[in-house]
Amino acid sequence: MEVLLRGGPGDGQVVEGGGETVVWRACLYERTPDVGRSRGRDLRVHQHRPDCCEPYVRGSEDRCE
């Protein structure tokens, strides 16, 4: 299953995933009830969680790994 990423460095990327969270590079994206359109398909939207991105160096503290 593919999902659409919103916000953060992966904004607009379509990636494989389907659970509650998706990790793209070093950033965490959480599932939303929204559906977005990309590549002619409706995809589940996962929203960026900014406190879990590698530049913040908080992955282990926030259980984002």
PDB file of all heavy atoms in Angstrom, residues 33-53:
ATOM      1  N   PRO A  33      -6.850  10.872   9.117  1.00  0.00           N
ATOM      2  CA  PRO A  33      -8.064  10.377   8.448  1.00  0.00           C
ATOM      3  C   PRO A  33      -8.204  10.936   7.028  1.00  0.00           C
ATOM      4  O   PRO A  33      -9.122  10.556   6.306  1.00  0.00           O
ATOM      5  CB  PRO A  33      -9.190  10.878   9.358  1.00  0.00           C
ATOM      6  CG  PRO A  33      -8.621  12.049  10.077  1.00  0.00           C
ATOM      7  CD  PRO A  33      -7.152  11.797  10.202  1.00  0.00           C
ATOM      8  N   ASP A  34      -7.294  11.831   6.626  1.00  0.00           N
ATOM      9  CA  ASP A  34      -7.388  12.483   5.324  1.00  0.00           C
ATOM     10  C   ASP A  34      -6.965  11.567   4.173  1.00  0.00           C
ATOM     11  O   ASP A  34      -6.156  10.659   4.350  1.00  0.00           O
ATOM     12  CB  ASP A  34      -6.504  13.735   5.284  1.00  0.00           C
ATOM     13  CG  ASP A  34      -6.876  14.747   6.358  1.00  0.00           C
ATOM     14  OD1 ASP A  34      -8.055  14.776   6.751  1.00  0.00           O
ATOM     15  OD2 ASP A  34      -5.980  15.481   6.790  1.00  0.00           O
ATOM     16  N   VAL A  35      -7.509  11.876   3.014  1.00  0.00           N
ATOM     17  CA  VAL A  35      -7.133  11.195   1.782  1.00  0.00           C
ATOM     18  C   VAL A  35      -6.686  12.267   0.802  1.00  0.00           C
ATOM     19  O   VAL A  35      -7.347  13.292   0.654  1.00  0.00           O
ATOM     20  CB  VAL A  35      -8.326  10.389   1.192  1.00  0.00           C
ATOM     21  CG1 VAL A  35      -7.977   9.803  -0.149  1.00  0.00           C
ATOM     22  CG2 VAL A  35      -8.748   9.303   2.174  1.00  0.00           C
ATOM     23  N   GLY A  36      -5.536  12.043   0.175  1.00  0.00           N
ATOM     24  CA  GLY A  36      -5.010  12.992  -0.804  1.00  0.00           C
ATOM     25  C   GLY A  36      -4.905  12.346  -2.161  1.00  0.00           C
ATOM     26  O   GLY A  36      -4.923  11.121  -2.285  1.00  0.00           O
ATOM     27  N   ARG A  37      -4.770  13.168  -3.174  1.00  0.00           N
ATOM     28  CA  ARG A  37      -4.698  12.647  -4.532  1.00  0.00           C
ATOM     29  C   ARG A  37      -3.297  12.872  -5.086  1.00  0.00           C
ATOM     30  O   ARG A  37      -2.758  13.968  -5.026  1.00  0.00           O
ATOM     31  CB  ARG A  37      -5.723  13.347  -5.409  1.00  0.00           C
ATOM     32  CG  ARG A  37      -5.896  12.694  -6.754  1.00  0.00           C
ATOM     33  CD  ARG A  37      -7.360  12.801  -7.185  1.00  0.00           C
ATOM     34  NE  ARG A  37      -7.561  12.205  -8.485  1.00  0.00           N
ATOM     35  CZ  ARG A  37      -7.871  10.933  -8.664  1.00  0.00           C
ATOM     36  NH1 ARG A  37      -8.031  10.156  -7.631  1.00  0.00           N
ATOM     37  NH2 ARG A  37      -8.040  10.441  -9.864  1.00  0.00           N
ATOM     38  N   SER A  38      -2.695  11.809  -5.611  1.00  0.00           N
ATOM     39  CA  SER A  38      -1.385  11.892  -6.235  1.00  0.00           C
ATOM     40  C   SER A  38      -1.275  10.798  -7.283  1.00  0.00           C
ATOM     41  O   SER A  38      -1.748   9.676  -7.073  1.00  0.00           O
ATOM     42  CB  SER A  38      -0.283  11.722  -5.188  1.00  0.00           C
ATOM     43  OG  SER A  38       0.985  11.825  -5.791  1.00  0.00           O
ATOM     44  N   ARG A  39      -0.652  11.138  -8.393  1.00  0.00           N
ATOM     45  CA  ARG A  39      -0.470  10.172  -9.484  1.00  0.00           C
ATOM     46  C   ARG A  39      -1.787   9.565  -9.944  1.00  0.00           C
ATOM     47  O   ARG A  39      -1.869   8.391 -10.294  1.00  0.00           O
ATOM     48  CB  ARG A  39       0.497   9.061  -9.069  1.00  0.00           C
ATOM     49  CG  ARG A  39       1.862   9.559  -8.673  1.00  0.00           C
ATOM     50  CD  ARG A  39       2.746   8.418  -8.272  1.00  0.00           C
ATOM     51  NE  ARG A  39       4.003   8.900  -7.744  1.00  0.00           N
ATOM     52  CZ  ARG A  39       4.884   8.139  -7.151  1.00  0.00           C
ATOM     53  NH1 ARG A  39       4.653   6.852  -6.992  1.00  0.00           N
ATOM     54  NH2 ARG A  39       6.007   8.645  -6.701  1.00  0.00           N
ATOM     55  N   GLY A  40      -2.843  10.359  -9.868  1.00  0.00           N
ATOM     56  CA  GLY A  40      -4.149   9.907 -10.320  1.00  0.00           C
ATOM     57  C   GLY A  40      -4.850   8.939  -9.385  1.00  0.00           C
ATOM     58  O   GLY A  40      -5.830   8.304  -9.771  1.00  0.00           O
ATOM     59  N   ARG A  41      -4.363   8.811  -8.157  1.00  0.00           N
ATOM     60  CA  ARG A  41      -4.967   7.887  -7.198  1.00  0.00           C
ATOM     61  C   ARG A  41      -5.249   8.588  -5.882  1.00  0.00           C
ATOM     62  O   ARG A  41      -4.581   9.545  -5.526  1.00  0.00           O
ATOM     63  CB  ARG A  41      -4.016   6.714  -6.919  1.00  0.00           C
ATOM     64  CG  ARG A  41      -3.746   5.874  -8.134  1.00  0.00           C
ATOM     65  CD  ARG A  41      -2.730   4.806  -7.841  1.00  0.00           C
ATOM     66  NE  ARG A  41      -1.458   5.471  -7.581  1.00  0.00           N
ATOM     67  CZ  ARG A  41      -0.436   4.908  -6.960  1.00  0.00           C
ATOM     68  NH1 ARG A  41      -0.535   3.690  -6.521  1.00  0.00           N
ATOM     69  NH2 ARG A  41       0.679   5.568  -6.779  1.00  0.00           N
ATOM     70  N   ASP A  42      -6.218   8.074  -5.155  1.00  0.00           N
ATOM     71  CA  ASP A  42      -6.507   8.548  -3.807  1.00  0.00           C
ATOM     72  C   ASP A  42      -5.649   7.750  -2.838  1.00  0.00           C
ATOM     73  O   ASP A  42      -5.661   6.516  -2.860  1.00  0.00           O
ATOM     74  CB  ASP A  42      -7.987   8.350  -3.457  1.00  0.00           C
ATOM     75  CG  ASP A  42      -8.886   9.283  -4.253  1.00  0.00           C
ATOM     76  OD1 ASP A  42      -8.423  10.378  -4.616  1.00  0.00           O
ATOM     77  OD2 ASP A  42     -10.047   8.909  -4.501  1.00  0.00           O
ATOM     78  N   LEU A  43      -4.890   8.465  -2.001  1.00  0.00           N
ATOM     79  CA  LEU A  43      -3.976   7.813  -1.066  1.00  0.00           C
ATOM     80  C   LEU A  43      -4.208   8.330   0.347  1.00  0.00           C
ATOM     81  O   LEU A  43      -4.546   9.494   0.548  1.00  0.00           O
ATOM     82  CB  LEU A  43      -2.514   8.103  -1.457  1.00  0.00           C
ATOM     83  CG  LEU A  43      -2.090   7.675  -2.852  1.00  0.00           C
ATOM     84  CD1 LEU A  43      -0.718   8.236  -3.183  1.00  0.00           C
ATOM     85  CD2 LEU A  43      -2.079   6.162  -2.959  1.00  0.00           C
ATOM     86  N   ARG A  44      -3.983   7.466   1.322  1.00  0.00           N
ATOM     87  CA  ARG A  44      -4.055   7.852   2.733  1.00  0.00           C
ATOM     88  C   ARG A  44      -2.940   8.859   3.006  1.00  0.00           C
ATOM     89  O   ARG A  44      -1.824   8.712   2.540  1.00  0.00           O
ATOM     90  CB  ARG A  44      -3.873   6.617   3.614  1.00  0.00           C
ATOM     91  CG  ARG A  44      -3.731   6.887   5.079  1.00  0.00           C
ATOM     92  CD  ARG A  44      -4.991   7.331   5.759  1.00  0.00           C
ATOM     93  NE  ARG A  44      -6.016   6.312   5.662  1.00  0.00           N
ATOM     94  CZ  ARG A  44      -7.267   6.524   6.006  1.00  0.00           C
ATOM     95  NH1 ARG A  44      -7.644   7.691   6.463  1.00  0.00           N
ATOM     96  NH2 ARG A  44      -8.143   5.576   5.884  1.00  0.00           N
ATOM     97  N   VAL A  45      -3.247   9.910   3.777  1.00  0.00           N
ATOM     98  CA  VAL A  45      -2.262  10.951   4.095  1.00  0.00           C
ATOM     99  C   VAL A  45      -1.633  10.670   5.456  1.00  0.00           C
ATOM    100  O   VAL A  45      -2.330  10.354   6.421  1.00  0.00           O
ATOM    101  CB  VAL A  45      -2.928  12.349   4.106  1.00  0.00           C
ATOM    102  CG1 VAL A  45      -1.956  13.407   4.604  1.00  0.00           C
ATOM    103  CG2 VAL A  45      -3.427  12.701   2.717  1.00  0.00           C
ATOM    104  N   HIS A  46      -0.315  10.771   5.516  1.00  0.00           N
ATOM    105  CA  HIS A  46       0.441  10.684   6.764  1.00  0.00           C
ATOM    106  C   HIS A  46       1.090  12.046   6.976  1.00  0.00           C
ATOM    107  O   HIS A  46       1.792  12.551   6.097  1.00  0.00           O
ATOM    108  CB  HIS A  46       1.502   9.592   6.682  1.00  0.00           C
ATOM    109  CG  HIS A  46       0.960   8.220   6.933  1.00  0.00           C
ATOM    110  ND1 HIS A  46      -0.010   7.645   6.154  1.00  0.00           N
ATOM    111  CD2 HIS A  46       1.263   7.324   7.893  1.00  0.00           C
ATOM    112  CE1 HIS A  46      -0.281   6.440   6.615  1.00  0.00           C
ATOM    113  NE2 HIS A  46       0.477   6.219   7.680  1.00  0.00           N
ATOM    114  N   GLN A  47       0.868  12.652   8.132  1.00  0.00           N
ATOM    115  CA  GLN A  47       1.348  13.992   8.461  1.00  0.00           C
ATOM    116  C   GLN A  47       2.693  13.934   9.180  1.00  0.00           C
ATOM    117  O   GLN A  47       2.889  13.116  10.076  1.00  0.00           O
ATOM    118  CB  GLN A  47       0.320  14.718   9.343  1.00  0.00           C
ATOM    119  CG  GLN A  47       0.680  16.138   9.699  1.00  0.00           C
ATOM    120  CD  GLN A  47       0.693  17.056   8.484  1.00  0.00           C
ATOM    121  OE1 GLN A  47      -0.153  16.968   7.604  1.00  0.00           O
ATOM    122  NE2 GLN A  47       1.671  17.935   8.429  1.00  0.00           N
ATOM    123  N   HIS A  48       3.580  14.844   8.815  1.00  0.00           N
ATOM    124  CA  HIS A  48       4.903  14.928   9.434  1.00  0.00           C
ATOM    125  C   HIS A  48       4.808  15.268  10.910  1.00  0.00           C
ATOM    126  O   HIS A  48       4.011  16.106  11.313  1.00  0.00           O
ATOM    127  CB  HIS A  48       5.708  16.020   8.719  1.00  0.00           C
ATOM    128  CG  HIS A  48       7.085  16.213   9.258  1.00  0.00           C
ATOM    129  ND1 HIS A  48       7.472  17.386   9.871  1.00  0.00           N
ATOM    130  CD2 HIS A  48       8.156  15.407   9.273  1.00  0.00           C
ATOM    131  CE1 HIS A  48       8.742  17.277  10.233  1.00  0.00           C
ATOM    132  NE2 HIS A  48       9.179  16.090   9.895  1.00  0.00           N
ATOM    133  N   ARG A  49       5.623  14.617  11.709  1.00  0.00           N
ATOM    134  CA  ARG A  49       5.711  14.925  13.133  1.00  0.00           C
ATOM    135  C   ARG A  49       7.067  15.595  13.360  1.00  0.00           C
ATOM    136  O   ARG A  49       8.098  14.926  13.436  1.00  0.00           O
ATOM    137  CB  ARG A  49       5.590  13.648  13.954  1.00  0.00           C
ATOM    138  CG  ARG A  49       5.509  13.936  15.413  1.00  0.00           C
ATOM    139  CD  ARG A  49       5.146  12.713  16.195  1.00  0.00           C
ATOM    140  NE  ARG A  49       5.618  12.940  17.559  1.00  0.00           N
ATOM    141  CZ  ARG A  49       5.623  12.022  18.491  1.00  0.00           C
ATOM    142  NH1 ARG A  49       5.198  10.819  18.210  1.00  0.00           N
ATOM    143  NH2 ARG A  49       6.069  12.313  19.677  1.00  0.00           N
ATOM    144  N   PRO A  50       7.100  16.926  13.436  1.00  0.00           N
ATOM    145  CA  PRO A  50       8.372  17.667  13.449  1.00  0.00           C
ATOM    146  C   PRO A  50       9.284  17.368  14.628  1.00  0.00           C
ATOM    147  O   PRO A  50      10.492  17.492  14.514  1.00  0.00           O
ATOM    148  CB  PRO A  50       7.949  19.131  13.446  1.00  0.00           C
ATOM    149  CG  PRO A  50       6.539  19.139  13.921  1.00  0.00           C
ATOM    150  CD  PRO A  50       5.944  17.815  13.519  1.00  0.00           C
ATOM    151  N   ASP A  51       8.758  16.953  15.758  1.00  0.00           N
ATOM    152  CA  ASP A  51       9.629  16.673  16.896  1.00  0.00           C
ATOM    153  C   ASP A  51      10.348  15.334  16.769  1.00  0.00           C
ATOM    154  O   ASP A  51      11.139  14.972  17.621  1.00  0.00           O
ATOM    155  CB  ASP A  51       8.848  16.732  18.208  1.00  0.00           C
ATOM    156  CG  ASP A  51       7.754  15.691  18.300  1.00  0.00           C
ATOM    157  OD1 ASP A  51       7.209  15.306  17.254  1.00  0.00           O
ATOM    158  OD2 ASP A  51       7.444  15.270  19.413  1.00  0.00           O
ATOM    159  N   CYS A  52      10.090  14.608  15.688  1.00  0.00           N
ATOM    160  CA  CYS A  52      10.725  13.304  15.506  1.00  0.00           C
ATOM    161  C   CYS A  52      11.689  13.288  14.332  1.00  0.00           C
ATOM    162  O   CYS A  52      12.095  12.235  13.884  1.00  0.00           O
ATOM    163  CB  CYS A  52       9.668  12.238  15.279  1.00  0.00           C
ATOM    164  SG  CYS A  52       8.742  11.866  16.772  1.00  0.00           S
ATOM    165  N   CYS A  53      12.055  14.417  13.841  1.00  0.00           N
ATOM    166  CA  CYS A  53      12.959  14.479  12.706  1.00  0.00           C
ATOM    167  C   CYS A  53      14.405  14.503  13.198  1.00  0.00           C
ATOM    168  O   CYS A  53      14.711  15.092  14.229  1.00  0.00           O
ATOM    169  CB  CYS A  53      12.662  15.725  11.882  1.00  0.00           C
ATOM    170  SG  CYS A  53      12.659  15.417  10.123  1.00  0.00           S
TER     171      CYS A  53
END
